[in-house]
Amino acid sequence: MGRKLLLQHINVPGIDTFEVYRQNGGYASVEKALKKMTPDEVVEEVKKSGLRGRGGAGFPTGMKWSFLAKPEGVPRYLVCNGDESEPGTFKDRFLMTYIPHLLIEGMITSSYALGANTSYIYLRGEMMPQIRILEKAIAEAKANGFLGKNILGSGYDLELYVQPGGGAYICGEETALLESLEGKRGNPRIKPPFPAIAGLYGCPTVVNNVESIAAVVPIVNDGGEEYAKIGIGRSTGTKLISAGGNLAKPGVYEIELGLPVEEFLYSDEYCGGIAGGKRLKAVVAGGSSVPILPANLFMKTIAGEGRLMSYESLAEGGFVSGTMMGSGGFIAFDEDACIVRNTWNFARFYHHESCGQCSPCREGTGWMEKVLHRLEHGHGSMSDMDLLVDVSKKIEGNTICPLGDAAAWPVASAIRHFRDEFEWHVSHASEAVTRNYGLAHYADPLPKPEPKPEATA
């Protein structure tokens, strides 16, 4: 049984209320930070922990905090990125729904560390239930002296606000989020300057993911060094995984980083294997923006080593034979899944969500969607695969924000690993409309049952 830091009390009745959360050790990190630690000491603990951003990029959180400019007389801001819009990712919404005070506590402790007296939680506009839950939790925290003026008699002031967005995936990019928060169209900004220098309202700003901020709570409570003992290598601590697709037990799981992927996928403690006893065909390990892997490359690296649920192990082999941890949006595809249809579906999403600011993304995502549409619907040609790869290369690295890369990587990797399936959609166009390609050499064989001992007389 893996250690739980964020979801330890998730099943406690009433844990979404201040009273029950407090009875289970809630807001202890705020008391410790404000009464016993300086802001710089809190930042140092986060550095020691090795915590990496849980929103997808995996950048060291403590290092990001240390970049924050501190000019005299200029306000600083902490903004929580709750604009969880990546297809396949729903762990932040789960955390905000069932244990909202954990995020509020993390916001207070983190804001203190950064010297922010006004902080914001930015949520995707469709998350109205979560917005109401968080506003209720903020009101409870304020009524009990954990927000507002002179928190716990420390002399530290903090006001915390929840701000809904307009429902745009692009606002998950931190500079587009800041534009939206300022009341403008959510277009990404050209960097530099980075938000740590000129962010919200032109002031120094840190933008962190929901899970990243929640993780500050156990880091401050237990110490950064203790947190760093969990996990493996530079992948320290625990990670929330949104497990979906063709799994026997989909849901949100908290794992210790370094867990073998085979254990996560097949053990009863986690996903319980593939639904219906079917075989695994492919996996998207970190949300729709990361490269898809066939089952054989997901289970083991090219060198034959079993993969682990860690940033380094999943990336082993680069984009030739590896993928990314990303935001933890884990999607499993069984033997009956159609890779072409899934790739087209992802391309539709990225075309729809492109802000249109950069022509490679604005035009290229539309071209990829059209080409994949005709492949899926029996009108493709053999040259379409090379055309898709060429378009993806024209998009990758040529846009202001990473949405272009996020649109290009799934298409390029799908063709790289499943080209035979794309070609089958062309050579068997009428058949592809009525049935899926099925399995090929990349299938993960089911474990063979152990032979039964022979009966003795």
Side-chain angles (χ1 to χ4, degrees):
M1 179 69 71
R3 185 175 176 185
K4 303 291 186 290
L5 299 180
L6 304 184
L7 303 184
Q8 180 183 1
H9 302 297
I10 196 72
N11 293 318
V12 174
I15 196 65
D16 59 322
T17 65
F18 178 87
E19 291 77 12
V20 176
Y21 182 73
R22 189 84 170 109
Q23 290 166 9
N24 285 272
Y27 291 98
S29 74
V30 176
E31 293 181 305
K32 182 178 179 180
L34 268 61
K35 294 180 179 180
K36 300 179 180 180
M37 303 173 73
T38 66
D40 287 343
E41 286 174 339
V42 178
V43 173
E44 190 59 33
E45 289 303 316
V46 175
K47 281 185 178 179
K48 289 178 184 177
S49 73
L51 174 68
R52 297 170 66 170
R54 303 304 198 217
F59 191 82
T61 303
M63 187 181 296
K64 186 174 186 177
W65 285 12
S66 67
F67 293 156
L68 186 69
K70 299 177 180 179
E72 285 292 330
V74 178
R76 288 166 245 156
Y77 297 101
L78 171 63
V79 179
C80 173
N81 185 350
D83 190 71
E84 187 176 46
S85 309
E86 180 98 339
T89 308
F90 45 89
K91 45 93 177 177
D92 290 343
R93 181 174 57 182
F94 180 86
L95 192 150
M96 290 186 287
T97 301
Y98 296 106
I99 188 163
H101 282 281
L102 180 63
L103 175 58
I104 306 305
E105 180 179 357
M107 286 295 293
I108 300 167
T109 305
S110 301
S111 297
Y112 170 73
L114 297 167
N117 298 113
T118 303
S119 295
Y120 297 90
I121 301 174
Y122 182 97
L123 268 69
R124 186 172 175 84
E126 290 87 343
M127 292 187 185
M128 288 310 298
Q130 287 72 32
I131 291 169
R132 295 189 184 100
I133 289 168
L134 288 173
E135 287 178 338
K136 177 176 178 288
I138 289 171
E140 289 178 332
K142 191 166 188 176
N144 286 275
F146 283 90
L147 281 170
K149 298 287 185 182
N150 193 24
I151 299 173
L152 302 181
S154 65
Y156 174 65
D157 306 334
L158 176 65
E159 295 295 337
L160 180 59
Y161 302 98
V162 178
Q163 176 62 45
Y169 171 72
I170 192 65
C171 289
E173 195 277 332
E174 63 178 11
T175 61
L177 185 157
L178 296 176
E179 289 284 291
S180 176
L181 195 53
E182 291 177 1
K184 293 178 270 186
R185 180 185 174 94
N187 280 356
R189 300 173 181 174
I190 295 175
K191 295 180 284 190
F194 290 89
I197 306 298
L200 186 64
Y201 308 123
C203 299
T205 305
V206 167
V207 182
N208 279 138
N209 170 260
V210 169
E211 184 186 349
S212 306
I213 292 173
V216 172
V217 174
I219 289 170
V220 172
N221 283 335
D222 302 332
E225 292 181 356
E226 284 300 311
Y227 186 89
K229 292 177 183 178
I230 304 170
I232 182 171
R234 295 195 305 113
S235 296
T236 62
T238 65
K239 177 82 181 74
L240 297 182
I241 303 293
S242 313
N246 305 123
L247 295 170
K249 294 169 57 183
V252 175
Y253 296 98
E254 184 175 9
I255 65 166
E256 292 188 19
L257 287 168
L259 178 77
V261 298
E262 185 174 0
E263 183 179 344
F264 178 69
L265 190 59
Y266 288 108
S267 73
D268 290 334
E269 183 181 348
Y270 298 106
C271 300
I274 308 304
K278 295 182 179 180
R279 297 170 69 183
L280 178 67
K281 180 175 183 177
V283 170
V284 171
S288 64
S289 62
V290 309
I292 187 172
L293 282 184
N296 60 332
L297 286 180
F298 175 71
M299 301 301 290
K300 292 185 178 181
T301 66
I302 287 289
E305 300 174 351
R307 282 200 197 269
L308 308 176
M309 294 291 285
S310 72
Y311 291 93
E312 291 75 29
S313 182
L314 290 175
E316 181 68 32
F319 282 1
V320 174
S321 60
T323 184
M324 298 167 65
M325 171 68 76
S327 60
F330 187 94
I331 310 171
F333 299 95
D334 68 17
E335 57 193 83
D336 296 325
C338 177
I339 301 301
V340 177
R341 182 172 183 80
N342 176 72
T343 308
W344 168 54
N345 202 34
F346 282 172
R348 288 169 61 202
F349 172 81
Y350 287 108
H351 179 211
H352 181 270
E353 295 295 337
S354 172
C355 75
Q357 188 174 193
C358 308
S359 56
C361 179
R362 181 184 65 245
E363 304 299 331
T365 53
W367 295 341
M368 290 196 298
E369 180 191 348
K370 290 175 184 176
V371 175
L372 286 162
H373 177 276
R374 69 186 186 217
L375 281 166
E376 169 61 16
H377 292 85
H379 308 295
S381 64
M382 287 296 181
S383 63
D384 283 342
M385 279 67 79
D386 291 332
L387 175 60
L388 284 168
V389 171
D390 184 58
V391 172
S392 70
K393 288 179 179 178
K394 296 292 194 299
I395 300 173
E396 184 181 355
N398 293 309
T399 55
I400 290 173
C401 87
L403 188 142
D405 296 346
W409 292 340
V411 174
S413 61
I415 294 172
R416 181 185 307 118
H417 298 302
F418 301 93
R419 192 178 185 109
D420 50 354
E421 184 161 343
F422 282 84
E423 292 176 347
W424 180 82
H425 272 252
V426 176
S427 59
H428 298 74
S430 58
E431 193 177 353
V433 174
T434 58
R435 78 174 183 89
N436 292 334
Y437 179 72
L439 290 173
H441 62 279
Y442 40 72
D444 174 42
L446 288 172
K448 294 181 180 179
E450 295 183 5
K452 295 180 180 180
E454 296 182 4
T456 55

